[in-house]
Amino acid sequence: MTLKEVEFWIDDCHKKHVTGCGNLPWSDRNPLRLVHILPGLKNIQLVDAQLMKQVSYTALSYAWGGDTTDDEEEKAFIKSPQDRSNDVEPFPVSELPATIQHAIDVTKKLKIDYIWIDALCIRKTSDDSGWNSEASRMHEVYGNARVTLFACSGEKSTDGLFHPRDAWEYISEPCRLDQFWLANFDMALDEVRTKASLFSRAWTLQEERLSPRILYLCGQRLYWSCATSQQSELGRPVGNNAPRKKPYEDPTPSKWLRRPQEFLQTRRQGKEELLHQQWLEIVRDYTRRNMYRATDRFPAISGLAVQYLVPFCSNGQVKREEYLAGLWRQTFAQDLAWMVHGAGSLSKNLRDIAPSWSWASLPLRTVINMQHEFTDTTGFALLETSRLGKGEDDDVLGVAQRGAEIKAVVVRGLLRRFVNELSQWVAWSAIQSTHGKEKGYDFSKYLAKSVHSASDTNGEILAHEPHMRPIVGWLDYRFLADKETGWMKDLYCLKIGESSMLLLEKAEMVEKDNIFYQGYRRAGISTDFHEGFFASGQAKLQNFVLV
């Protein structure tokens, strides 16, 4: 594999994209530690990079099985009694898994002497202090790299980056068969970013969005992305004088996938509304991904939270925004209005990590919607006392770390029960109506009655009052099998927007600032209720705590 094209892309970006890409790195600091590739490529050495002047280095983003891997070679590397992350003496490259070996080789061929690899550069300690310290610095590690290497063709660290490329020996040309044209289309970069198994890993989302320059290493092609350009490898020419040809790619860009560096660009431009929109897109992508340790739920997105806070700073201190368990103070009501696509299993919730009102409490690999139409309502307010300016460290990292520890907040809002006391339970089959692909509700038997019901499959619930259209809600979890039919009378509704309300369950009493409040736990959401639902005497303006 030749890397001449890649060298050109990198040099061209550093020389010509100075005012664009050149302004996106986080700082001029090295990571705490780096792998030094020694002359000859046979040995490497871990070095304390913060003691050195700034150096060029690559950063590696790859998939590996963690403690759950079933690959014996990878398992041996992870559980080796000779922990290389604590070595100070040189050791052979050959002891490392293939993906890491190949990444070191690519780095050296790019004339770069240092590389950051998590498995080596994060010092392993018995109390995870080394991991926790370095995990909070991903905005610097990936943000300051000369280029980030994405290993897109493997599912584990032993798969490697280099594979036979026999197809490159042949010219691919479109041909005509009767009235049809046949052509071999190469995978476009957007398709790589949606289909490669690497991008089902939660950590890789921020590793990609924090990187000003990225080289995607796929089995049959290399791709480049910076803030200014995206390129595909042309490859070796066939024959001495054969011209290089652009690969045939699907020219249709993704309708929702943004360029990786767009979040960094928006942050630098200080476009706060657009930055928030992109944060919601990031969360939507993040929650559907998997990770080996659920406790990494906040660390694996903390670098992006740090970047988000930058436009709200003055003299290095955050002044106008606050991170609240994955949500933001200025847009708190809208951020509460996430909706799951199909209720999940309650037993898999992560409420020991995040409060019920945060998307971070959902099970891993949950698909959610963050961007339905939302309009603020005057009745809802976040009363939680701000921790800014209270003598704690208010730099972006400190605010992001404190925000990940939030478990409860005080709010004020209109609260009422989901169903009235006279409502009767009816079976879902009694009111569900299906005509072809269209689904609806048939209340012809209950026109003058108050009834309520729930689906036992997808979390859909509804309440019908005489002569009014039904109130429809969506639960976060499937828990109907464990409850009696009267449980819906214990559901409460909190109006957070003109067309959005949270579904809540009563929880324990909570003490905040020496005051005891009633606690409520999120159960779901509704974006389908009529204007008079909160205008009746059943709704009351109350102060309480969301947990």
Side-chain angles (χ1 to χ4, degrees):
M1 176 188 292
T2 177
L3 295 177
K4 291 295 183 183
E5 284 181 87
V6 177
E7 288 185 66
F8 172 79
W9 296 335
I10 296 175
D11 290 342
D12 189 60
C13 181
H14 277 272
K15 291 176 182 177
K16 297 181 180 180
H17 305 165
V18 177
T19 59
C21 306
N23 287 321
L24 295 183
W26 180 259
S27 69
D28 58 0
R29 295 198 305 182
N30 296 325
L32 292 175
R33 307 171 81 208
L34 285 170
V35 174
H36 184 202
I37 307 170
L38 301 176
L41 270 179
K42 292 185 178 180
N43 295 298
I44 57 175
Q45 184 176 19
L46 287 165
V47 296
D48 290 326
Q50 284 209 316
L51 303 177
M52 303 158 43
K53 65 178 183 180
Q54 185 183 13
V55 298
S56 291
Y57 66 92
T58 64
L60 177 62
S61 179
Y62 65 113
W64 61 297
D67 293 337
T68 62
T69 181
D70 58 2
D71 185 282
E72 292 302 321
E73 181 184 347
E74 187 173 55
K75 190 180 297 183
F77 170 66
I78 297 168
K79 298 183 179 296
S80 171
Q82 187 176 17
D83 180 10
R84 289 305 189 190
S85 73
N86 288 308
D87 275 4
V88 294
E89 298 298 325
F91 58 90
V93 175
S94 59
E95 294 184 3
L96 303 173
T99 297
I100 296 178
Q101 289 189 43
H102 293 173
I104 291 171
D105 186 31
V106 169
T107 299
K108 196 62 179 178
K109 287 180 177 178
L110 294 176
K111 301 181 177 63
I112 300 173
D113 293 330
Y114 296 89
I115 182 172
W116 188 91
I117 303 167
D118 57 0
L120 297 174
C121 295
I122 299 179
R123 195 186 303 274
K124 293 183 176 65
T125 57
S126 58
D127 60 356
D128 278 346
S129 59
W131 167 258
N132 294 334
S133 174
E134 191 73 350
S136 66
R137 295 166 51 88
M138 293 300 102
H139 57 289
E140 280 199 317
V141 169
Y142 288 92
N144 294 345
R146 183 171 178 85
V147 60
T148 298
L149 309 178
F150 269 74
C152 298
S153 59
E155 297 183 0
K156 51 187 182 297
S157 64
T158 55
D159 287 341
L161 302 178
F162 304 148
H163 304 280
R165 305 176 81 181
D166 297 339
W168 285 73
E169 299 297 327
Y170 303 92
I171 298 176
S172 176
E173 294 284 3
C175 65
R176 187 165 184 169
L177 184 64
D178 292 332
Q179 70 269 34
F180 300 102
W181 279 94
L182 302 180
N184 178 40
F185 279 82
D186 285 285
M187 189 175 288
L189 178 54
D190 277 0
E191 193 173 1
V192 171
R193 295 174 61 211
T194 55
K195 292 186 176 180
S197 61
L198 179 66
F199 296 99
S200 65
R201 179 174 169 252
W203 276 97
T204 61
L205 189 148
Q206 77 166 0
E207 291 166 4
E208 184 185 42
R209 303 300 177 89
L210 294 172
S211 299
R213 302 174 180 91
I214 302 172
L215 178 64
Y216 299 87
L217 297 112
C218 302
Q220 297 297 316
R221 193 175 297 281
L222 305 179
Y223 300 84
W224 166 265
S225 177
C226 66
T228 306
S229 71
Q230 289 187 332
Q231 304 289 340
S232 298
E233 181 185 12
L234 297 178
R236 54 186 279 187
V238 180
N240 292 332
N241 300 314
R244 290 172 179 249
K245 288 181 174 290
K246 278 281 189 184
Y248 292 102
E249 296 179 357
D250 183 355
T252 307
S254 170
K255 293 182 179 180
W256 63 270
L257 191 63
R258 293 181 184 271
R259 181 172 289 196
Q261 294 80 14
E262 194 164 339
F263 184 76
L264 292 180
Q265 290 178 295
T266 303
R267 179 268 294 164
R268 177 169 171 74
Q269 294 163 356
K271 297 179 178 179
E272 296 175 11
E273 185 175 343
L274 180 57
L275 191 67
H276 180 249
Q277 178 184 339
Q278 292 179 18
W279 175 264
L280 297 181
E281 293 172 2
I282 285 171
V283 170
R284 179 189 63 187
D285 188 1
Y286 185 68
T287 58
R288 69 176 179 82
R289 299 189 181 210
N290 202 7
M291 57 178 54
Y292 298 114
R293 301 194 311 178
T295 51
D296 289 345
R297 188 72 146 184
F298 283 124
I301 200 172
S302 63
L304 293 170
V306 166
Q307 291 277 7
Y308 186 99
L309 285 164
V310 171
F312 303 95
C313 287
S314 176
N315 297 321
Q317 300 290 292
V318 180
K319 300 294 185 182
R320 298 184 295 107
E321 185 57 284
E322 201 165 2
Y323 190 49
L324 302 170
L327 287 65
W328 300 101
R329 177 175 286 274
Q330 288 193 18
T331 53
F332 189 69
Q334 181 179 359
D335 294 353
L336 284 173
W338 48 266
M339 177 186 294
V340 300
H341 285 231
S345 171
L346 184 61
S347 64
K348 296 180 180 180
N349 78 78
L350 302 180
R351 289 178 179 173
D352 57 332
I353 295 172
S356 67
W357 44 267
S358 169
W359 50 262
S361 68
L362 292 168
L364 300 175
R365 303 181 67 182
T366 298
V367 179
I368 65 173
N369 178 17
M370 292 288 294
Q371 294 176 285
H372 49 77
E373 184 176 340
F374 185 89
T375 303
D376 286 318
T377 184
T378 55
F380 179 80
L382 175 64
L383 303 182
E384 182 70 15
T385 302
S386 173
R387 294 172 66 179
L388 297 178
K390 303 297 184 182
E392 299 180 84
D393 193 350
D394 286 344
D395 67 2
V396 288
L397 182 56
V399 173
Q401 289 176 327
R402 289 204 307 268
E405 299 171 355
I406 297 292
K407 299 296 185 185
V409 291
V410 183
V411 299
R412 175 188 296 139
L414 283 172
L415 199 67
R416 63 155 291 173
R417 291 183 183 272
F418 185 69
V419 299
N420 66 53
E421 291 296 330
L422 301 178
S423 183
Q424 297 178 342
W425 171 272
V426 295
W428 189 255
S429 58
I431 52 93
Q432 187 178 33
S433 176
T434 303
H435 297 284
K437 295 182 179 180
E438 293 188 11
K439 294 183 179 181
Y441 313 103
D442 179 7
F443 292 101
S444 58
K445 298 179 182 178
Y446 312 103
L447 295 178
K449 294 182 180 180
S450 295
V451 296
H452 57 278
S453 187
S455 167
D456 59 2
T457 57
N458 64 0
E460 185 177 2
I461 63 174
L462 60 82
H464 171 263
E465 296 179 354
H467 313 297
M468 298 294 293
R469 68 180 176 89
I471 310 300
V472 181
W474 298 90
L475 300 176
D476 298 335
Y477 300 101
R478 299 185 303 272
F479 55 80
L480 303 186
D482 300 327
K483 299 220 176 194
E484 300 296 331
T485 56
W487 66 269
M488 283 180 63
K489 291 191 176 182
D490 294 325
L491 273 183
Y492 291 81
C493 304
L494 168 63
K495 188 176 184 181
I496 58 174
E498 286 301 309
S499 58
S500 302
M501 66 180 184
L502 292 188
L503 304 179
L504 305 174
E505 295 180 296
K506 265 190 178 180
E508 65 281 355
M509 298 292 291
V510 179
E511 182 182 4
K512 299 277 286 185
D513 299 325
N514 298 318
I515 301 174
F516 281 90
Y517 297 92
Q518 177 64 55
Y520 286 88
R521 183 180 299 110
R522 174 174 162 137
I525 193 170
S526 171
T527 57
D528 189 0
F529 56 93
H530 53 77
E531 293 182 5
F533 187 65
F534 284 94
S536 66
Q538 298 185 57
K540 295 181 180 180
L541 191 64
Q542 300 181 39
N543 295 351
F544 53 92
V545 168
L546 293 176
V547 297

